[in-house]
Amino acid sequence: MDPRLAIISERLSRVKRVIAVASGKGGVGKSVISTGLALILALKKKYKCGLLDLDFHGPSCHIILGVDKLDIVEEKGIIPPVINGIRFMSIIQFAEDKPVALRGRDISNAIIELLAITRWGDLDYLIIDMPPGMGDEALDTIRLMRNKEFLVITTPSKLSIGVVEKLISFLRSVNADIIGIIENMALSETSIVKEFSSRIGVRYLGKINYDPGLERCLGSVDCLMSTKFIENLQEILENI
C-alpha cells in the first residue's frame, strides 16, 4: 500500500469543506469560477480558503490571479504560498510554464504526490479547479479526498449541457455529492439550463451573465473583484 495515502488524510484533516469545481468540457469558465469563489470566500467573507489547480494539462488559476512565480516553502512538506488571502497550489509551482505531458498512472502518481506534500493547515474551504471531463483527475479526487462535493459548471450551449449530463451520470454512479449546477456566460433569458437541472434532479444554483469586461480583468485581482461576474457569483455563493 502506498504510504502517501495515509499522509493525504492527515493533510486534509483540518479542512472543513472541499469543493471540486467540475465541467463536462473545456471553455465554460470553470477556472475563473474556481478562482472567483476562492477570492470571494477569502477577501469578502473572511474565510480561510485554499485553491488547488488540478488541471495539469491547462493550469490557468495563476494567470487569473496575476501570478508569475510562486515561491515554495518547504517544512515537512510544502506550505502553500498565500496569494491575495488564498493558500494556492498548482502544478506550475514545479513545472513552471513547461508543458506537463502525463497520462494514466503518471497522472495518478502526480496527484497523490501533490496531495501528500501540501500542508494546507486549518481551512474553512478548499476549492479545487478540476480538469474538464471524467478522466484520472476526477477519479483520483473521488478516491483520495474525503468529504468532497462537486459543483458543476455549464453554459447554455446544447453541446455543453449534453456533456454535463454524462458528467452528472458519472458522478452519481460513484456516489459523489453534487452541490448543484451553475449556468455561466448566459446571453439571454433562456431557461434551458434551469429546465435541464429540474429534469435530471440536480439543484440549479443560478446563472452568471456574460460579462464583456471580464477578460481585461484577468490577471488583476482588484479589477476582477469589481466585475459583474463576481457580483453574480457572490449571489450564487449564498446557495452553496
Side-chain angles (χ1 to χ4, degrees), residues 88-189:
F88 178 58
M89 279 294 285
S90 168
I91 192 65
I92 64 111
Q93 271 120 309
F94 307 96
E96 297 179 343
D97 284 330
K98 299 174 183 177
V100 181
L102 299 174
R103 65 180 183 181
R105 183 176 297 178
D106 290 334
I107 293 177
S108 294
N109 188 57
I111 290 174
I112 290 171
E113 186 69 17
L114 190 60
L115 293 176
I117 65 175
T118 304
R119 297 181 56 193
W120 292 107
D122 294 310
L123 287 182
D124 296 303
Y125 290 89
L126 175 58
I127 307 298
I128 305 175
D129 181 24
M130 299 289 293
M134 297 158 277
D136 290 301
E137 293 93 333
L139 291 169
D140 284 325
T141 301
I142 291 167
R143 177 171 65 94
L144 298 170
M145 306 187 78
R146 64 176 182 85
N147 300 331
K148 60 273 173 184
E149 307 165 74
F150 283 81
L151 185 62
V152 178
I153 313 301
T154 188
T155 67
S157 163
K158 290 182 180 180
L159 296 177
S160 178
I161 291 171
V163 180
V164 159
E165 186 164 12
K166 293 181 177 65
L167 174 62
I168 295 291
S169 178
F170 161 69
L171 292 174
R172 283 175 166 165
S173 73
V174 294
N175 298 314
D177 187 2
I178 304 170
I179 301 171
I181 294 175
I182 292 178
E183 177 183 358
N184 192 29
M185 292 187 265
L187 289 168
S188 65
E189 294 302 317

Side-chain angles (χ1 to χ4, degrees), residues 30-31 35 52-64 88-93 95-100 129-132:
K30 172 183 53 59
S31 296
T35 308
L52 173 60
D53 192 340
L54 266 190
D55 192 344
F56 283 9
H57 300 298
S60 55
C61 291
H62 64 291
I63 298 173
I64 298 166
F88 178 58
M89 279 294 285
S90 168
I91 192 65
I92 64 111
Q93 271 120 309
E96 297 179 343
D97 284 330
K98 299 174 183 177
V100 181
D129 181 24
M130 299 289 293

Side-chain angles (χ1 to χ4, degrees), residues 16-33:
K16 294 179 182 177
R17 196 169 179 189
V18 178
I19 298 178
V21 182
S23 65
K25 65 193 303 296
V28 300
K30 172 183 53 59
S31 296
V32 184
I33 288 176

Side-chain angles (χ1 to χ4, degrees), residues 193-225:
V193 177
K194 192 171 185 178
E195 291 171 358
F196 163 72
S197 300
S198 177
R199 175 172 63 80
I200 63 172
V202 176
R203 192 155 62 115
Y204 176 77
L205 298 171
K207 70 177 179 179
I208 300 172
N209 294 313
Y210 174 73
D211 183 352
L214 179 61
E215 180 68 25
R216 67 176 176 82
C217 288
L218 301 182
S220 170
V221 169
D222 288 341
C223 183
L224 180 62
M225 295 303 288

